[in-house]
Amino acid sequence: MSTFYKRATSVFTKHPVVTKLLVVATVSSGGVVVYSGARPFNGAYADAGHAAGKRVNKKKVVVLGTGWASTSFLKNLKDPSYEVQIVSPRNYFAFTPLLPSVTVGTVEARSIVEPVRSIANSNGLDVEYREAECFKIDAENKKVLCRSTQDSKVGKKEEFEVDYDYLVVAMGAQVNTFNIPGVVENTHFLKEVEDAQRIRRSVIDCFERASLPSVSDKERERILHFVVVGGGPTGVEFAAELHDFVHEDLAKLYPTLKQYVKITLLEATDHILTMFDKRITEFAEDKFKRDGIELKTGSVVMKVTDKDISTKERSTGEIQSIPYGMVVWSTGIGSRPVVLDFMKQIGQGNRRVLATDEWLRVQGTQSIYALGDCATINQRKVMDDIDKIFKKADKKGQGSLKVDDFKEVVNDIIERYPQVELYLKKKQLNNFVQLLKNSQADEELDIEKFKSALSEVDSQMKMLPATAQVAAQEGKYLATCFNRMEECERNPEGPGRFREEGRHRFKPFRYKHLGQFAPLGGEQTAAQFQLPWDWVSIGHGSQWLWYSVYASKQVSWRTRFLVVSDWGRRFIFGRDSSRI
Amino acid sequence: MSTFYKRATSVFTKHPVVTKLLVVATVSSGGVVVYSGARPFNGAYADAGHAAGKRVNKKKVVVLGTGWASTSFLKNLKDPSYEVQIVSPRNYFAFTPLLPSVTVGTVEARSIVEPVRSIANSNGLDVEYREAECFKIDAENKKVLCRSTQDSKVGKKEEFEVDYDYLVVAMGAQVNTFNIPGVVENTHFLKEVEDAQRIRRSVIDCFERASLPSVSDKERERILHFVVVGGGPTGVEFAAELHDFVHEDLAKLYPTLKQYVKITLLEATDHILTMFDKRITEFAEDKFKRDGIELKTGSVVMKVTDKDISTKERSTGEIQSIPYGMVVWSTGIGSRPVVLDFMKQIGQGNRRVLATDEWLRVQGTQSIYALGDCATINQRKVMDDIDKIFKKADKKGQGSLKVDDFKEVVNDIIERYPQVELYLKKKQLNNFVQLLKNSQADEELDIEKFKSALSEVDSQMKMLPATAQVAAQEGKYLATCFNRMEECERNPEGPGRFREEGRHRFKPFRYKHLGQFAPLGGEQTAAQFQLPWDWVSIGHGSQWLWYSVYASKQVSWRTRFLVVSDWGRRFIFGRDSSRI
């Protein structure tokens, strides 16, 4: 029986929802998209205020980067009183959660990208884009130095400066190789669309090379050993996608090679998907075992040569050399050189990541904001401000206060220090007053007692993960601030300041975790949602949930339609194995 | 008004057929393709006889190349008594007539390719594919020497030999630079899918670079000057596609740059599309003038530097240096080095192109066939065989024959020498006998009179053009011969031999020209069909004809569906300008 038919019937009988999905995809290609596509595209191509003379008196906003953070910022910016310039070497936004799917052709690269000019023009603001790389931020003179990134065939590199009134640094991070020798030279990263395309070609290269008659069986085994380093969502998803590609599509085209294929996932800690619920980790590890994907946890990579990867077992110290055909490196991220250089300029030279305050403003600067993977929010400790907080509450300067006297500053505290709320939740306290009461009954508090009541609060400070979700929320938050800059200057809406007088202009950024997906291959997905309770879903159902959430999250009607139709194509025709 | 809406309404009102086409495309994505796709895919993935031991006593056929000729050969080969090995650096077949569309994203690269393994497996024969390049044909020892072409990251180059009983050379040709300095270094070719992808990135690079603030207006003009060299169908179609891309899509994303864009087509002869009917040439030249595409005919390229292209006017001898941003070189083809080397081996060293007989067998060899762009059929001249022909007719050795005495050999003559039929057609004669009668009334013919009657026949010998159509027909023809090799050995079906006794095993290859398309941009296409009369069609109608013919000609249901849905996508969303 033809594979297509098998695939189609099995799916249609098992999952009636597929029929619906296909119908939706089908109908969309005609009427529905024609209609609904018309709305978001309205004005998308309208001349976005490029007329000369319009730029007078506008505040210059320079945005570095075209990833999740900056795209979200651009899409939510509404105030026409800014003149925006975007500088990025990538003239498109990429829907990165689908990158692992692109590596094997479940989704096409072009389906997950959207030109930044389309996005920039969609809200009718004064936005210009420059395809260039910022190689220096000059905070003193309020300008960035840029270098063109086009292919040298068109001409030599251009360098130019761009002045700003506000700078939004959202250039993301780079892959962290932990200075392990040979990683840069011999492994594939999986951060950019080009990486995914290269991996796709490389997988096919391995299969084609293993098909050559002159290759020995041992060499064949080496070539078809695919190693993934890093047990995070990207690494796990890539390993799962690769397994599906090999077993669903390549096995038929290269029938004699199936027996030689091996996929290994190396993880330095003891488990994969550690950021997820334990049940998900267990399910994933079990599934990998069933699928024959070898999982080596507690295994640290020491060196990568062109044909071998050396690992050290954390428990035994044993060193092993594993021959491989292709390695995908997906371990973690580090700061880009231009950001590290900028950090030195502004006195953050001893940090590893750029630090901002809770309003996403870079600490030590006035008009520079940083969001997404290139920065972290350096939360203020309650204990650092404890004297000032007490003083604010103690209006009359009595040096000792009743619990009720704090009522006026409670909201400000809760808003200013998110760790307080987390601490209350952890301790199952209803409110701040209860926290004070708890330790002090109904007595009066002096500064020492106040300190002791709050002494453990700062333990709840949490670093936000470097995810698309965080970046997108930060971008949206910052755009909202920019939209209301003047209004909030007049009527500040943030919490009262403890160190100074007055209020903060804006409410600080607060991250809302919505949940996470981990596609595990074979139509199985694990999902974890932050509803009022933690909802974990594993299996077939979540796959469709995942499909629909990802389809709805796509940047534009174009990408949404393309991704859904790519899924349909894969369903019907399988993945393509042409080496392009 | 949004562009999408404009585009859609104008097309729907102007061309009701579009509605139908979209409906077809839409329905296809669901049920129709599900159903009809099932048939051609039946057995496509069946294990194609790879079981060990099956290879005993099979004739080894080695096919070099995965283009039109070899793919057509593979698709039509039915006889299971061959063991086929395909050697080609490209593990997919590409539908090359759509390459110009890929350069600007009207159609995606992946939509016009099909893995050669799918094609090879589709008829259930014993076919293996090796991704490698043949660098030497050793006709004496009946083997080819191959070198692997995978990326060096997977390992060093592998070299291996493949033995054959029959060799099918179908490796195509390479771009002819006419040894003009700078062409290889500075221009883009348009022969492979990778070329088209590079051109696409390069066009975007030019626009992005021209958007940089530091670039002068003069430099901007240079960067946005796109030059196409060669007025054949590929060059003309690329120029037209580029014009549409710039005006339909890029003009909206780069509104300030439109005024700087210029497209120039250089052609050394006096007209473009010279292989078409004059009306088509005129229409195309007019349309280009209206579109603002500059057409410089009679202009020979002398040199290409990284920023300038030097031309010489054939009429005046004037030398001009034209600054450019990108040049696409699409002038003609030349033999590959491995073919030139092979030609020396077999005594064809003084020729420019590999010569075969009318049965596609390489002249000077026994079991090597060549088809497609890498070879030409070296037609036998009637005048070279005239004595033998006369002798065959003159069974009794009288030295003088009546016209009626030739009746027995007429069919053999007509079949063996295609030029005879063309000559009769040109002279408007009904048959061969009439030709003889014409010159000789009813008298008897001796050899001299016979020679004089046929003296002009050879003027009608025609070289077949290097097109996909010719290659595909040759591939099909050769497969039919291979399928009936044994049968025709016993019962030869070809014309009687004049130089020797007996008959030829097969009828000689005869090309049937079906027509040609030249898409001219803006939904306009010129078509020329070889019906009993020459049918020329220009304008909107032919565009849809073109769409449907091309859609129906696609290699598989997969590519057919993908191309049609790409057209639909382009229609709705425009072309993507992301630099990937």
Side-chain angles (χ1 to χ4, degrees), chain B residues 193-213:
Chain B
V193 173
E194 282 93 344
D195 295 334
Q197 289 175 314
R198 265 192 293 266
I199 289 173
R200 183 169 183 175
R201 277 195 295 273
S202 193
V203 171
I204 300 297
D205 265 355
C206 290
F207 273 84
E208 288 300 354
R209 193 179 172 82
S211 305
L212 297 178

Side-chain angles (χ1 to χ4, degrees), chain A residues 26 91 108 110 117 130 151 154 156 158 205 208-209 211 214 222 254 565 569 576 579-580, chain B residues 26 91 108 110 117 130 154 156 158 205 208-209 211 214 222 254 565 569 576 579-580:
Chain A
T26 306
N91 84 348
E108 284 304 322
R110 206 163 288 279
R117 290 171 189 275
R130 316 290 186 196
D151 192 271
V154 187
K156 67 176 201 338
E158 287 281 326
D205 265 356
E208 287 299 354
R209 194 181 171 79
S211 306
S214 59
R222 175 185 79 78
Y254 305 81
S565 87
R569 288 171 172 196
D576 181 41
R579 192 195 177 280
I580 57 167
Chain B
T26 308
N91 83 347
E108 285 303 323
R110 206 162 289 279
R117 288 169 190 276
R130 318 290 187 195
V154 188
K156 66 175 203 339
E158 287 281 328
D205 265 355
E208 288 300 354
R209 193 179 172 82
S211 305
S214 59
R222 173 185 81 78
Y254 305 82
S565 86
R569 289 170 172 197
D576 180 40
R579 193 198 177 278
I580 58 167

